[in-house]
Amino acid sequence: MTADNHLHTRFSPDASGDAEEYILAAIAANAKHLAFTEHVDLLYFDPSFKMCDLNEYFAHMNMLKNKYADRISLSAGLEIGYTAENKLLNKELVSKFAPDYVINSVHEVNGIDCYFKKFFVNTTPLAAAEEYLNAVLESLDAPYPYHAVGHLGYVTRNAPYEMNLSELCPEIIKKILTKIINGGKILELNTSCIKPLDKSIPSRDVLKLYVSLGGKKICFSSDAHKPSDLFRNYEYFRQLCRESNITSQTVIINGNETALPL
Ligand SMILES: [Zn+2]
Ligand SMILES: [Zn+2]
């Protein structure tokens, strides 16, 4: 295990555990780098899903970065849920807090998080895929700096039907991947989900297409919501990378892109 680039702790409303628990587990596993990425979903449709006190979060992370400076590299980052409505608020927030690492994700599509079954009521696989992917395409032009594109394919996770995004919407997928490559962004391999088999995010097909279009930057990201999720399912994703001849991941350390083993 060398790095985990997507971690939530008690500072996210749906996660538990302290960053220090992750850090100690990562040091024990000889890891080089962790990126903490607490949720920021401004104007979220469910107001009970509240952002933490970011002053408190960044102060806590600064303390831990100093404490463990000689043992592991740590990023104090954010996972920003992009919408057309919140993008300018996100811009203000990113410039105010200057996080070490930003994952730009799409959770909400048309006013509802596509993680939830109700997103799919009265939809078809094609319509759901198009709505989600068009939102992702738009998010790539976010008016704030970000490093990685979060969980491309998130809409498939809880969909009540089969959704093969690269078959349903080949043109939009190609546009997204081309834009990620041309923008120099990192395509996150979100290792939180492998079941049922071959339902990874992104899917094997999308990863292969990314590589065939010239994409090189990926990172391993467990999207852990508790310390025991750290580094989950990495072996499965290493296999996917071997199939696509990907041999390293791109990690942001002190603002610089650094190649680390998978
Ligand atoms: Zn997310
Ligand atoms: Zn996340």
Side-chain angles (χ1 to χ4, degrees), residues 6 8 39 79 223 225:
H6 190 151
H8 299 276
H39 284 297
E79 179 185 15
D223 207 345
H225 281 65

Side-chain angles (χ1 to χ4, degrees), residues 107-143:
H107 298 126
E108 264 186 283
V109 179
N110 295 336
I112 187 160
D113 193 320
C114 62
Y115 183 84
F116 296 109
K117 290 270 190 279
K118 55 186 169 182
F119 172 77
F120 300 95
V121 173
N122 297 325
T123 60
T124 63
L126 177 60
E130 276 179 350
E131 284 179 14
Y132 168 74
L133 291 173
N134 280 321
V136 173
L137 186 60
E138 184 189 300
S139 77
L140 301 179
D141 287 324

Side-chain angles (χ1 to χ4, degrees), residues 219-236:
C219 67
F220 273 31
S221 306
S222 72
D223 207 345
H225 281 65
K226 55 182 186 306
S228 59
D229 293 338
L230 189 68
F231 309 130
R232 60 181 156 177
N233 303 321
Y234 273 23
E235 204 39 58
Y236 178 84

Side-chain angles (χ1 to χ4, degrees), residues 180-196:
I180 291 172
I181 294 165
N182 292 341
K185 306 300 182 188
I186 301 166
L187 176 68
E188 165 184 284
L189 302 192
N190 190 290
T191 70
S192 65
C193 182
I194 54 167
K195 288 178 185 168

